[in-house]
Amino acid sequence: MKHYGLIGEKLGHSLSRPIHEAIFREMGIDADYRIIEIPRDSFDAQTRHLLATLDGFNVTIPYKQAVMPLLRDIDPAAEEIGAVNTVLCHAQKGFNTDAAGFMGMLRHYGIDPAKGENSYILGSGSTAKTVRACLKRMGARKVTVVSRHPQQMDEISYADFYQVFPRTGGTIVNASSAGMWPRKDEDNICAIHPSRVDEMMRYALGVADVVYNPPHTFLTKAAERAGVPWCTGLYMLVAQAVEAEVLWQGMPMPECLVEKIMKEMSIQ
């Protein structure tokens, strides 16, 4: 039996285990998958132990960048993005399967970042790095990161976003954890302030929220009210898991597997 898992700091909301177990059943793979919470002060030691004892693992917040120095090799695409979410332990090599999952999700739901001049990413963490690279690959002409604490040349504040977006319009991607269950207070229910979200939706060409729990977020509900194409991160979550299994098992997976697992788990 092979052994896999997900590492992160706080994982009570994770759906990764049932998703990978569904893949194992569908593909006849003899393996298990565990959820492994690691405190920041013991990350290096515990991760080195897992590299020696597991066959592979996924990486989530806040360790997608921190894991990179512990690995022997980084796939060029993950190196370019600057974040690793999948590790093949015997090779001690890191990959980024979030990118394939994100681009597959946008295509599946008909959100085209090449439509219009501008795309905006809400949040500036490791997920935003992946999203930015993907939007560029999919033809986005200009990508701007919206941050509470802008530091880079392509970053603006939310106050600036509220001023600029009605003039430019475009695709919006929430790459922050705002809106993830169980966050319900005004400051965390949506990256865009709740009092401004309906106004912003009037100018949106598409809205993608990488949050997958709940399956319909405050942001995507606003997009739906405005008649804007939208999606949450459920498709991305399943698609990146399938891509991880391709790497771990060294074999292709059926093209229909993502949708089949989503139907099986009733998470469409």
Side-chain angles (χ1 to χ4, degrees):
M1 174 180 281
K2 295 182 179 180
H3 305 287
Y4 303 98
L6 170 69
I7 67 171
E9 187 176 26
K10 297 178 181 178
L11 302 174
H13 64 280
S14 177
L15 294 175
S16 291
R17 183 175 179 178
I19 289 171
H20 282 275
E21 288 177 342
I23 297 172
F24 298 155
R25 288 194 301 272
E26 289 291 334
M27 300 302 297
I29 298 168
D30 184 19
D32 61 25
Y33 192 96
R34 62 194 74 172
I35 301 299
I36 307 164
E37 292 189 343
I38 303 178
R40 297 193 191 210
D41 59 2
S42 62
F43 174 74
D44 281 16
Q46 287 199 42
T47 302
R48 290 184 192 280
H49 173 72
L50 294 172
L51 281 167
T53 56
L54 295 182
D55 292 283
F57 57 83
N58 294 125
V59 187
T60 191
I61 297 171
Y63 300 134
K64 292 183 181 182
Q65 293 168 276
V67 74
M68 295 175 75
L70 304 182
L71 303 174
R72 186 183 303 135
D73 190 17
I74 306 292
D75 179 72
E79 187 78 64
E80 180 184 356
I81 291 168
V84 161
N85 79 307
T86 299
V87 173
L88 184 60
C89 289
H90 73 82
Q92 293 198 17
K93 185 171 183 177
F95 302 84
N96 189 304
T97 64
D98 281 335
F102 179 77
M103 291 188 289
M105 177 178 71
L106 293 197
R107 295 186 186 104
H108 182 74
Y109 290 100
I111 298 173
D112 183 4
K115 183 180 179 181
E117 292 288 332
N118 297 272
S119 294
Y120 293 85
I121 303 170
L122 310 180
S124 55
S126 58
T127 302
K129 293 178 181 295
T130 301
V131 169
R132 187 180 189 279
C134 292
L135 292 174
K136 288 286 190 180
R137 287 182 200 173
M138 296 181 73
R141 295 175 181 83
K142 182 179 180 182
V143 179
T144 302
V145 174
V146 185
S147 173
R148 292 182 179 180
H149 307 287
Q151 297 178 340
Q152 306 299 322
M153 289 292 292
D154 65 346
E155 295 181 359
I156 62 174
S157 68
Y158 279 88
D160 288 338
F161 172 68
Y162 299 144
Q163 294 295 317
V164 170
F165 191 68
R167 297 200 301 270
T168 65
T171 300
I172 296 175
V173 180
N174 176 42
S176 76
S177 60
M180 183 174 287
W181 182 91
R183 300 182 180 191
K184 294 182 179 179
D185 58 281
E186 190 174 81
D187 289 336
N188 287 308
I189 197 170
C190 186
I192 300 173
H193 194 277
S195 66
R196 306 297 295 268
V197 68
D198 283 318
E199 174 192 353
M200 295 299 104
M201 291 304 102
R202 291 167 54 192
Y203 310 100
L205 300 177
V207 173
D209 195 334
V210 300
V211 168
Y212 58 83
N213 186 7
H216 203 3
T217 65
F218 190 93
L219 178 63
T220 59
K221 287 178 181 177
E224 185 176 60
R225 287 195 299 272
V228 176
W230 64 270
C231 62
T232 53
L234 285 170
Y235 188 99
M236 176 181 173
L237 181 67
V238 177
Q240 66 80 25
V242 170
E243 288 294 322
E245 291 293 345
V246 169
L247 294 169
W248 290 338
Q249 309 308 326
M251 65 181 188
M253 302 282 164
E255 291 185 9
C256 63
L257 188 57
V258 174
E259 292 183 58
K260 188 172 184 179
I261 289 174
M262 291 180 73
K263 289 178 181 177
E264 178 182 328
M265 297 181 64
S266 299
I267 56 174
Q268 291 199 98

